[in-house]
Amino acid sequence: MGTIVIGNAKIRYAVRRKPNIRHVHLRMKPDSQLEVSLPSDSKVDARTIIRRKKNWIKRKREEANQAIKMFDGKRALYRGVPHVLESTNPEKKVRISKGKIVLPLSKATNLRQALKRWMKAETMKLVRRKLASYGKKYGFSPNGFDVKHMRKWARCTKEGRLSFNWQLIGLPKELADYIILHELSHLKEFNHSRRFRYELASVCPDFKERGAMLKRFVVDV
């Protein structure tokens, strides 16, 4: 772990050497810590790379500071609105009321685990409903879907199967819809070419604006 000053900010960074990469990779984590990944046999000095990329790092740090976390330990987003998390005994049902999500908790379950289980079920219901609606409206026909823990919001395989992050239900409605439509559009164009953007625009005309908004929301990993 090291620290370097860029502008008026002290940036914490960690260097990781990985045998399965060929180039240097920089990643600004949600906590504003910089991760520098180097090939295991690289003789490149990490601090030299960081200085060369200082403008990029400064921009990414500003973006990280403005990021909206899906879950911070005490609060979670649900349909775009922050809710305080509280617990109740395991015999109760999940209750949403007055800006709170009250989760039944057993001795073997912590608050995050209970939240994940509930949000995953809610996301499953949302995706199932939206896929049926969009399939009828636009003719999309995916080869099944699942909801799971993943670093990305969603993905589509070449076989036409869709996967969605369990935190999808936490996003504002227009962004959850955008993600689902984005992945469905990959069923027709499995890339991000001009043809793909044309397909996406035909079902989500303001996809650029929604995509820009989505960058502010940070997946809890």
Side-chain angles (χ1 to χ4, degrees), residues 17-212:
R17 293 195 174 268
K18 300 181 179 180
N20 57 340
I21 63 172
R22 298 177 60 187
H23 304 286
V24 176
H25 296 282
L26 301 182
R27 182 171 78 94
M28 185 63 71
K29 299 170 70 175
D31 60 0
S32 294
Q33 178 181 306
L34 180 67
E35 183 177 273
V36 184
S37 298
L38 302 174
S40 56
D41 59 349
S42 175
K43 294 181 173 59
V44 173
D45 178 61
R47 292 178 70 88
T48 300
I49 293 293
I50 291 171
R51 290 192 185 97
R52 289 177 183 171
K53 294 290 187 178
K54 64 181 181 180
N55 290 334
W56 180 89
I57 293 169
K58 184 178 179 181
R59 186 176 74 253
K60 289 298 180 182
R61 184 176 184 275
E62 290 172 352
E63 291 176 1
N65 287 339
Q66 296 172 1
I68 302 171
K69 294 182 179 180
M70 303 301 294
F71 172 65
D72 66 6
K74 296 181 180 179
R75 300 191 308 169
L77 288 187
Y78 178 66
R79 298 189 182 276
V81 179
H83 286 69
V84 175
L85 299 177
E86 293 187 355
S87 62
T88 187
N89 67 68
E91 288 77 25
K92 301 285 186 178
K93 293 183 178 180
V94 176
R95 179 167 52 87
I96 304 174
S97 175
K98 298 179 180 179
K100 296 179 181 180
I101 300 175
V102 184
L103 297 158
L105 227 60
S106 67
K107 291 182 179 179
T109 307
N110 61 39
L111 203 59
R112 187 183 185 280
Q113 290 170 332
L115 176 70
K116 181 178 180 179
R117 183 169 58 239
W118 175 71
M119 289 187 72
K120 182 177 180 180
E122 291 293 298
T123 296
M124 286 284 291
K125 289 188 284 188
L126 171 69
V127 173
R128 186 176 290 111
R129 185 172 68 251
K130 290 293 183 178
L131 292 184
S133 173
Y134 292 145
K136 185 176 181 180
K137 187 174 182 179
Y138 301 117
F140 292 119
S141 182
N143 186 24
F145 80 95
D146 54 35
V147 174
K148 58 187 179 181
H149 184 83
M150 52 197 296
R151 290 185 175 274
K152 299 172 64 176
W153 284 111
R155 66 168 169 257
C156 174
T157 69
K158 289 183 178 180
E159 293 73 33
R161 184 171 181 83
L162 309 181
S163 294
F164 296 94
N165 192 298
W166 61 271
Q167 298 161 76
L168 191 73
I169 194 67
L171 291 171
K173 176 183 179 299
E174 64 271 19
L175 298 187
D177 288 350
Y178 159 73
I179 290 169
I180 295 170
L181 287 168
H182 182 111
E183 299 310 317
L184 285 171
S185 296
H186 278 309
L187 298 174
K188 296 184 177 180
E189 285 294 327
F190 193 70
N191 51 51
H192 286 99
S193 64
R194 181 180 296 180
R195 286 179 60 86
F196 168 78
R197 294 192 295 273
Y198 174 82
E199 291 290 346
L200 181 54
S202 70
V203 295
C204 186
D206 60 344
F207 74 91
K208 291 182 180 179
E209 291 79 4
R210 297 196 199 191

